[in-house]
């Protein structure tokens, strides 16, 4: 069974770094091959993973929607989009990366978007685990980039503004026609003193399963500041150790099967 995980949250909370840590932990624990999908227009996941990104899917979408670049209709068009998607894959040790790229422009993208979604869905079946790093805020949900996942992880920092943003994302995920098997929350950058009492109280009201907290980790912050990827982190880095616990919790979802309904 392919386990699909989407990571969401407001900007600046370390979402891309933790998405990259998820990829590393799944790979290291033998849950590969892993497909990492960078659905953030800022496209920083490749740098966090230490790989060169392939051709963004946005370029394939633009080419396929332009009158001069549109492939033929029917089977020929499906084949062309599938071939282009294969070329867009950046291959690495134990994982591959797909970069979505910039948002849509003013053209009509319905046809090519459907082809890309179908091609990406078929591609994902070849992987044991899929990790999607979504853009900040709720835009990925309103555009239904995240429309069928086993786990939606809504991240936050231990502050009330971050927690309120997480609540909005969770609420929207319940209102939209998207399929989420399990909604989960994760608090990042937790200090040695733990969570403020106000944050603890509000967390109880969010709903969804709470994943293990990830501590403030200067090793991770320093690596990010100088452009080092998460693969270079020492095995005993506190954030990496915590994310191994997160991955072990997520692995329990793999045996659920298709008959499990929505939760959270």
């Amino acid at each position: 069974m392919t386990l699909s995980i989407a990571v969401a949250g407001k900007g600046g909370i370390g979402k891309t770094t933790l998405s990259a840590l998820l990829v590393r932990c799944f790979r290291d624990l033998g849950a590969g091959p892993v497909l990492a999908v960078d659905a953030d227009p800022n496209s920083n996941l490749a740098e966090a993973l230490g790989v060169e990104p392939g051709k963004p899917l946005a370029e394939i979408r633009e080419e396929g929607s332009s009158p001069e670049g549109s492939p033929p209709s029917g089977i020929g068009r499906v084949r062309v989009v599938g071939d282009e998607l294969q070329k867009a894959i950046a291959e690495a040790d134990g994982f591959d990366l797909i970069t979505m790229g910039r948002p849509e422009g003013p053209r009509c993208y319905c046809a090519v978007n459907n082809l890309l979604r179908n091609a990406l869905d078929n591609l994902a079946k070849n992987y044991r685990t899929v990790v999607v790093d979504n853009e900040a805020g709720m835009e990925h949900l309103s555009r239904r980039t995240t429309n069928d996942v086993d786990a939606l992880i809504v991240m936050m920092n231990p502050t009330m503004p971050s927690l309120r943003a997480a609540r909005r994302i969770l609420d929207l995920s319940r209102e939209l026609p998207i399929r989420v098997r399990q909604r989960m929350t994760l608090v990042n950058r937790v200090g040695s003193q733990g969570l403020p009492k106000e944050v603890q109280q509000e967390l109880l009201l969010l709903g969804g399963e709470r994943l293990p907290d990830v501590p403030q980790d200067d090793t991770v912050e320093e690596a990010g500041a100088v452009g080092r990827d998460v693969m270079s982190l020492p095995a005993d880095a506190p954030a990496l150790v915590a994310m191994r616990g997160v991955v072990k919790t997520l692995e329990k979802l793999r045996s659920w099967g298709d008959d499990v309904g929505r939760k959270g």
Side-chain angles (χ1 to χ4, degrees), residues 21 24 215 217 219-220 233-244:
L21 287 172
R24 173 174 171 174
D217 188 344
T219 307
V220 172
L233 293 173
D236 60 352
L240 184 55
V241 172
M243 289 304 292
R244 290 194 193 103

Side-chain angles (χ1 to χ4, degrees), residues 28-40:
D28 291 351
L29 290 174
V34 181
L35 177 62
V37 180
D38 189 347
D40 190 333

Side-chain angles (χ1 to χ4, degrees), residues 57-69:
L57 296 197
E59 291 186 15
I60 301 174
R61 184 186 64 220
E62 293 293 330
E63 293 166 0
S65 63
S66 66
E68 64 277 8

Side-chain angles (χ1 to χ4, degrees), residues 172-191:
L172 182 59
S173 76
R174 296 183 179 102
E175 295 168 5
L176 293 173
I178 59 177
R179 184 169 177 263
V180 179
R181 286 186 175 174
Q182 184 78 327
R183 291 166 179 83
M184 298 176 158
T185 58
L186 185 152
V187 185
N188 188 32
R189 295 179 178 142
V190 176

Side-chain angles (χ1 to χ4, degrees), residues 145-191:
T145 302
T146 306
N147 56 8
D148 188 358
V149 295
D150 295 306
L152 172 64
I153 302 177
V154 180
M155 279 183 54
M156 67 202 82
N157 285 339
T159 66
M160 292 302 292
S162 183
L163 192 147
R164 285 192 288 268
R167 182 188 299 279
R168 289 195 294 271
I169 293 171
L170 285 166
D171 289 345
L172 182 59
S173 76
R174 296 183 179 102
E175 295 168 5
L176 293 173
I178 59 177
R179 184 169 177 263
V180 179
R181 286 186 175 174
Q182 184 78 327
R183 291 166 179 83
M184 298 176 158
T185 58
L186 185 152
V187 185
N188 188 32
R189 295 179 178 142
V190 176

Side-chain angles (χ1 to χ4, degrees), residues 16-74:
T16 295
T17 299
L18 262 68
S19 295
L21 287 172
L22 279 175
V23 172
R24 173 174 171 174
C25 289
F26 274 115
R27 184 201 67 174
D28 291 351
L29 290 174
V34 181
L35 177 62
V37 180
D38 189 347
D40 190 333
N42 290 325
S43 302
N44 294 319
L45 187 57
E47 182 178 358
L49 289 168
V51 298
E52 286 294 324
K55 182 178 183 179
L57 296 197
E59 291 186 15
I60 301 174
R61 184 186 64 220
E62 293 293 330
E63 293 166 0
S65 63
S66 66
E68 64 277 8
S70 297
S73 60

